[in-house]
Amino acid sequence: MDEQERPKTTDDQAKGMSRRQFLVTSGYAVGGAVLGGVLGYLLPKRQEAAPPAAPAAEGNDYGQALMFFTQEQFSIAQAATERIFPTDENGPGAKELGVAYYLDHQLASEWGFNARDYMQGPFFVGEKVQGYQGRLKRRDIFQIGLREMQNYSQSQYGKAFVNLTEEEQDAVLTAFQNDEVPVTTISASGFFSMLRSGTLEGVYSDPLYGGNKNMAGWAMRNYPGSQMSYTQIMDKDFTKVPPRSLKDHVAHS
């Protein structure tokens, strides 16, 4: 019988399924290797239920998908950054600008692993002008800080941080800023400083990195973004240039 006409046996079907499963598994493995193990938990394990899916991307913006935070951590970060950079008459706040996604993506990257920092001991208490001197990576600091924000909110108000009023959330953030929260593993004020800096970065960074959605952060500052050149308007009167993202240049290259 011709090979093409031979009916498929149970062994053939099993081989097909094994190959399909291999392709799926190897695809996850490659992603995990590239991201330093961020996606490692997606690898299927025997007798275990599949992990919960990350929140769906808003609209068609697939850059707004979680890579590091749990859903709870993301919700706390989103609420906290909104209080640091709230919506007002000048324009959108951190939540609408996608700042929590920016933080999530940065913590999943080399920045979150302190890949370019010297992280070997011995560790001493450094001066403020020396910057961070600890053994914990930024991703560890954020995980601890967000958990302590939740614990402090529960102890002071009996509610999760995201369920507090805006005034109560401000009080929690102020307590961290002033080192009034008894945290032993990290500096409460150091975590707040990192959170605040990350918030401003997410507001004004290129949208390619997850924040500054629709370049609205730049629009509030009349900032032109990533323009390749200004030669076409250098000899003209003042010209207001619409902002451009790095991905705009990729799309038109």
Side-chain angles (χ1 to χ4, degrees):
M1 181 181 295
D2 185 78
E3 181 65 24
Q4 295 181 350
E5 298 178 357
R6 183 174 64 85
K8 292 185 178 180
T9 64
T10 303
D11 290 340
D12 293 330
Q13 295 173 352
K15 291 178 181 178
M17 288 297 294
S18 299
R19 180 175 179 275
R20 186 180 301 111
Q21 191 64 36
F22 168 78
L23 291 174
V24 172
T25 303
S26 61
Y28 285 141
V30 171
V34 171
L35 295 176
V38 173
L39 299 181
Y41 73 93
L42 291 175
L43 287 171
K45 300 178 182 179
R46 293 183 179 180
Q47 307 300 325
E48 292 185 8
E58 299 177 7
N60 292 324
D61 188 352
Y62 296 103
Q64 292 201 327
L66 297 187
M67 301 171 65
F68 173 72
F69 284 145
T70 65
Q71 183 59 61
E72 181 183 36
Q73 291 169 340
F74 175 79
S75 298
I76 298 171
Q78 189 174 63
T81 55
E82 177 67 17
R83 295 311 306 148
I84 294 173
F85 196 93
T87 300
D88 60 16
E89 65 279 2
N90 296 310
K95 181 178 180 179
E96 186 175 344
L97 291 170
V99 169
Y101 286 107
Y102 168 83
L103 291 175
D104 170 79
H105 295 181
Q106 291 301 301
L107 292 170
S109 72
E110 289 186 348
W111 184 82
F113 284 96
N114 292 66
R116 300 190 180 188
D117 297 334
Y118 184 79
M119 297 290 290
Q120 300 298 318
F123 298 96
F124 298 102
V125 178
E127 300 294 332
K128 290 186 177 181
V129 295
Q130 293 179 302
Y132 178 64
Q133 300 290 310
R135 70 181 71 230
L136 293 175
K137 298 178 176 64
R138 293 185 184 95
R139 55 184 12 225
D140 301 323
I141 294 173
F142 263 84
Q143 286 183 321
I144 295 171
L146 294 175
R147 184 181 69 236
E148 293 298 334
M149 282 180 60
Q150 188 80 307
N151 292 340
Y152 186 76
S153 300
Q154 290 286 0
S155 65
Q156 295 295 310
Y157 303 101
K159 295 182 290 185
F161 182 81
V162 296
N163 295 328
L164 300 180
T165 66
E166 293 180 351
E167 292 74 16
E168 291 169 341
Q169 290 177 343
D170 289 347
V172 171
L173 291 170
T174 300
F176 270 80
Q177 182 180 22
N178 296 334
D179 267 327
E180 297 171 355
V181 182
V183 183
T184 57
T185 49
I186 63 172
S187 163
S189 61
F191 166 67
F192 174 83
S193 178
M194 191 177 295
L195 178 64
R196 181 182 182 277
S197 296
T199 299
L200 296 178
E201 290 171 12
V203 170
Y204 297 118
S205 65
D206 193 286
L208 192 66
Y209 299 103
N212 190 14
K213 188 174 181 180
N214 298 323
M215 295 178 280
W218 288 345
M220 286 187 286
R221 294 281 184 173
N222 290 322
Y223 178 67
S226 303
Q227 302 287 334
M228 295 299 290
S229 71
Y230 299 93
T231 55
Q232 72 279 13
I233 60 172
M234 287 178 62
D235 59 343
K236 295 181 173 61
D237 294 333
F238 179 80
T239 303
K240 187 173 182 179
V241 181
R244 298 190 70 184
S245 167
L246 288 170
K247 61 183 178 182
D248 293 332
H249 302 298
V250 174
H252 293 88
S253 61

